[in-house]
Amino acid sequence: MGDIEGHYMKTPDSCLWVAVLEGSVVGVVAVCALRGEAGTVELHRMSVDRRCRQRGVGVALGRKVLQYAADRGYLSVVLGTTAYSPAAHQLYQTLGFRCVGVTKGYATPGVSQSVPEQLFYRVSHHHYRKDMTFHNTNTHSQQ
């Protein structure tokens, strides 16, 4: 997040959107082409202000990513999350993502952990995927 413009706005096949409600930024999401997996983009940085959850902000941001992928002919969208909230996982499933795996004991890249943290702090990293073949059909029928 140190170079939003350089990473998301000037890099081909990347973009970042913010959700604004009543003049305040209440959500953000980004997308980047996934290196090493042609035809796939990765949803990054989905975050919604706690005070604005359950108001459709996350769904709107997720749909923006899916529309971006569909408009550019991507075959799939993937994401990874360590979210503890069942609502976050439900949001991804509502958008049509399916959990394709869980990594136990995941350590966030670039974060060093002490020995006690390595022994006791275990994070599950959930991997989600949505194949776009059905999204393109549904998008046109909803309009």
Side-chain angles (χ1 to χ4, degrees), residues 30-35 40-44 65 76-80 125:
V31 65
C32 293
L34 189 62
R35 293 182 182 156
T40 302
V41 290
E42 185 172 14
L43 183 151
H44 282 247
V65 168
S76 57
V77 180
V78 297
L79 67 92
H125 189 258

Side-chain angles (χ1 to χ4, degrees), residues 23-81:
S24 297
V25 173
V26 296
V28 64
V29 69
V31 65
C32 293
L34 189 62
R35 293 182 182 156
E37 193 172 334
T40 302
V41 290
E42 185 172 14
L43 183 151
H44 282 247
R45 309 275 183 212
M46 168 91 72
S47 180
V48 175
D49 185 308
R50 291 185 193 283
R51 297 167 295 185
C52 296
R53 292 182 183 167
Q54 302 297 317
R55 293 174 69 179
V57 175
V59 171
L61 290 168
R63 286 182 178 160
K64 188 70 173 174
V65 168
L66 296 175
Q67 190 62 55
Y68 175 92
D71 289 348
R72 285 157 184 78
Y74 283 101
L75 302 175
S76 57
V77 180
V78 297
L79 67 92
T81 184

Side-chain angles (χ1 to χ4, degrees), residues 106-120:
Y106 177 81
T108 303
V111 175
S112 61
Q113 293 180 329
S114 67
V115 172
E117 288 173 320
Q118 291 174 14
L119 293 173
F120 299 107

